[in-house]
Amino acid sequence: MNLKSFIPAIIVTTLLTTSCSAIRSISGSNKSSAETARQNTAKATDKKNNEKFRGKRKHRNNTTAGSRATSANTVTIRPFTQDDSISIAKQLAGEWIFDIVAGITVTGDDKRPSLTFDENTNRFYAYNGCSYFNGDFSISSFNKLAFNNIISTLNLCDNIPWADYITAVWNVASHFYITSRGVEEYLDLRDSNDRTVATLKRHQLSDLNGMWNVVEINGSTIDSEQPTIVIDLLEQTVHGNTGCNLFNGDIYQSPDTDRSVQFLNMAVTRMACPNTAIETALLVALEQTEQAEVPSPDQAILADRSGRQLIRLQRSSL
């Protein structure tokens, strides 16, 4: 190649190289400017969105705080009313058996120390294993309880470890709590320092109260001369008719036996009856009864000590 032909080639190559570099430079500059603009726009948008979000969050927090303040300002405690006092007296009503007093477990089946509340008169009756007590009780708040105007017999109470502690309960008990544990209901009497001074219990068999028709005795269905039984666990009494004669008696519930119900001191009228088989079977079954079960509001079962079904009852519509 001669010099003339080589020089133009250099010039052309240089121009092309310069032109390409310039194009790349310009393109890069334009691309950088576009990217920068895009990033700046994105940042501005993000900043605006963040400010908007912070504004909403602040407003929401202020609203929530305001709601809380409003809620806190409108919380009120419902005042204790006479209706509340009547309702609580009904929960206390009936006989409770002393279970633990001053940490001592109360034992014995015969004349077990007890406390009975009469909801109709606001009177209480108690036995400490030796002496008898009665007086007034008052309910001044949802769980506040006081015993007043107490009188008692003056029996000597030797060798009864819990007698004096039960006597002291009337003066130190200031409030109470009722709880359910299985088939038992417990009453805790506490002092002003919230220390339990006595725990009492009773069976949860209130659904057994009322009038029942005897529909089965010892597995045999009763189709005619259907006997009836009226059970009152609050008064611890039972009465009814055998399909011919009337009967009545007392109810005893052992505090140490689940679902305990026993019918004692039964008395029966002596009218002549054409069919005495049902009457005899009923009275014998009642004497053997030691526990009860209420599987539904309209059905009840009376059983012996081993759990064998003696009498099946259906709630009367009368």
Side-chain angles (χ1 to χ4, degrees):
M1 179 183 295
N2 59 27
L3 185 61
K4 286 184 179 181
S5 63
F6 180 72
I7 291 174
I10 294 175
I11 294 172
V12 171
T13 302
T14 301
L15 289 173
L16 289 172
T17 302
T18 302
S19 297
C20 290
S21 300
I23 290 170
R24 283 196 300 269
S25 176
I26 293 171
S27 299
S29 176
N30 290 340
K31 182 178 180 181
S32 176
S33 298
E35 180 66 21
T36 301
R38 188 189 66 76
Q39 292 176 354
N40 289 339
T41 301
K43 289 180 180 178
T45 302
D46 289 343
K47 181 178 180 182
K48 184 176 181 180
N49 289 337
N50 287 338
E51 289 176 351
K52 184 184 295 184
F53 175 75
R54 284 196 297 271
K56 287 183 178 179
R57 183 171 61 185
K58 182 177 180 181
H59 174 71
R60 185 169 64 250
N61 290 341
N62 289 340
T63 302
T64 303
S67 299
R68 289 173 181 168
T70 302
S71 178
N73 291 334
T74 57
V75 170
T76 57
I77 299 176
R78 184 173 64 80
F80 186 75
T81 66
Q82 182 63 25
D83 287 340
D84 292 322
S85 179
I86 294 172
S87 176
I88 292 173
K90 288 181 179 179
Q91 296 178 41
L92 288 171
E95 183 183 45
W96 298 83
I97 304 298
F98 279 95
D99 188 39
I100 299 174
V101 180
I104 302 173
T105 300
V106 182
T107 60
D109 261 349
D110 187 29
K111 297 297 292 182
R112 184 81 162 259
S114 63
L115 170 62
T116 301
F117 295 93
D118 186 337
E119 62 173 306
N120 298 314
T121 62
N122 274 35
R123 298 279 295 173
F124 80 91
Y125 306 89
Y127 175 65
N128 70 353
C130 176
S131 295
Y132 293 88
F133 302 80
N134 67 76
D136 302 321
F137 73 91
S138 59
I139 302 168
S140 57
S141 185
F142 290 100
N143 69 333
K144 299 291 185 182
L145 177 67
F147 298 95
N148 307 298
N149 305 320
I150 303 166
I151 60 175
S152 70
T153 58
L154 300 175
N155 300 338
L156 293 176
C157 302
D158 295 333
N159 301 319
I160 302 177
W162 46 76
D164 290 339
Y165 292 112
I166 292 177
T167 301
V169 165
W170 323 130
N171 295 321
V172 298
S174 64
H175 58 289
F176 70 94
Y177 294 96
I178 297 176
T179 57
S180 295
R181 308 172 204 171
V183 297
E184 307 296 333
E185 195 171 30
Y186 286 81
L187 170 65
D188 287 335
L189 299 179
R190 301 187 183 183
D191 63 15
S192 58
N193 293 316
D194 205 35
R195 294 174 300 196
T196 299
V197 296
T199 298
L200 303 90
K201 68 179 181 179
R202 67 181 175 190
H203 300 295
Q204 294 193 81
L205 283 173
S206 58
D207 288 344
L208 192 60
N209 286 318
M211 177 178 287
W212 301 88
N213 295 322
V214 178
V215 295
E216 188 177 289
I217 302 174
N218 295 320
S220 299
T221 302
I222 308 301
D223 295 321
S224 60
E225 300 179 1
Q226 194 169 63
T228 60
I229 297 178
V230 179
I231 296 173
D232 190 335
L233 296 178
L234 182 60
E235 296 294 331
Q236 296 285 281
T237 60
V238 59
H239 69 269
N241 73 75
T242 65
C244 177
N245 279 294
L246 303 178
F247 67 90
N248 63 75
D250 300 324
I251 294 176
Y252 172 73
Q253 294 181 278
S254 171
D256 300 317
T257 304
D258 292 347
R259 298 185 295 274
S260 171
V261 172
Q262 297 180 43
F263 303 104
L264 309 174
N265 306 320
M266 301 293 287
V268 186
T269 58
R270 293 177 178 270
M271 293 187 295
C273 303
N275 184 1
T276 61
I278 293 176
E279 177 178 274
T280 301
L282 174 63
L283 294 175
V284 171
L286 289 174
E287 289 180 358
Q288 295 175 337
T289 297
E290 293 204 22
Q291 54 184 292
E293 184 179 355
V294 187
S296 71
D298 296 327
Q299 298 286 328
I301 296 171
L302 304 180
D304 64 12
R305 180 178 299 182
S306 66
R308 180 175 65 90
Q309 179 176 314
L310 299 171
I311 301 173
R312 186 163 62 87
L313 303 173
Q314 184 172 13
R315 191 173 293 281
S316 174
S317 58
L318 297 179

